[in-house]
Amino acid sequence: AQSVTQLGSHVSVSEGALVLLRCNYSSSVPPYLFWYVQYPNQGLQLLLKYTTGATLVKGINGFEAEFKKSETSFHLTKPSAHMSDAAEYFCAVRALTTDSWGKFQFGAGTQVVVTP
Amino acid sequence: EAQVTQNPRYLITVTGKKLTVTCSQNMNHEYMSWYRQDPGLGLRQIYYSMNVEVTDKGDVPEGYKVSRKEKRNFPLILESPSPNQTSLYFCASSLSQDRAEQYFGPGTRLTVT
């Protein structure tokens, strides 16, 4: 069975500072990996995804993430935080086994607060 | 506009009174899924559907039913709601097995008293 762990339920960053959100997964086969963002009172919006190919993926709003198979990680970064980045972020994995490809697991989420 | 819609957005009901939350997408997506979001637990998958008439359980299916009779619709049914089903529910859809990025609806906040 696969699982997703997000380190840190709350992260506070200063405006202009690096944003780093950590995600580790456990899976027998490297899965598809996703980061989503949720703004207050809204649904989730895709930031970026990794399926195959280049391990450094770029997403919307200046975010990027790197898939590291040896570390089973998919950490999300943004070089310079903006006030509008305040939101909750979720890491998600999708199994690649044929009998459960429709199953997704989400991490518990990381709430990002950006201070002036 | 491409979107996933859910209705109702807010619902307060009593224990045992059957209810249905509707979900519809206008993107001709094959895959649809239901999640519940609870504080500190993230999103947990309830049921998913890979295509019409094909559904399967997620991690927390107990107390829920689904059906997929049309490609665009994927209703979530609570036959006998209980207070532990008080939660925020999201419907999502994606194009296919390979195009797995999901588009989410706006959510339905359900309170069962």
Side-chain angles (χ1 to χ4, degrees), chain A residues 9-66:
Chain A
S9 59
H10 288 81
V11 168
S12 182
V13 297
S14 300
E15 192 175 16
L18 172 73
V19 179
L20 170 61
L21 305 182
R22 300 179 189 274
C23 173
N24 288 87
Y25 68 90
S26 66
S27 176
S28 57
V29 175
Y32 285 2
L33 296 154
F34 307 84
W35 275 100
Y36 287 89
V37 61
Q38 185 180 32
Y39 298 103
N41 300 313
Q42 293 187 26
L44 280 71
Q45 178 183 357
L46 180 71
L47 277 177
L48 49 79
K49 67 175 181 179
Y50 170 79
T51 54
T52 59
T55 56
L56 182 64
V57 293
K58 296 185 184 300
I60 62 171
N61 302 338
F63 285 93
E64 63 180 38
E66 186 171 12

Side-chain angles (χ1 to χ4, degrees), chain B residues 96-108:
Chain B
S96 65
Q97 177 176 354
D98 292 326
R99 294 291 302 276
E101 59 269 28
Q102 294 180 82
Y103 294 80
F104 281 80
T108 295

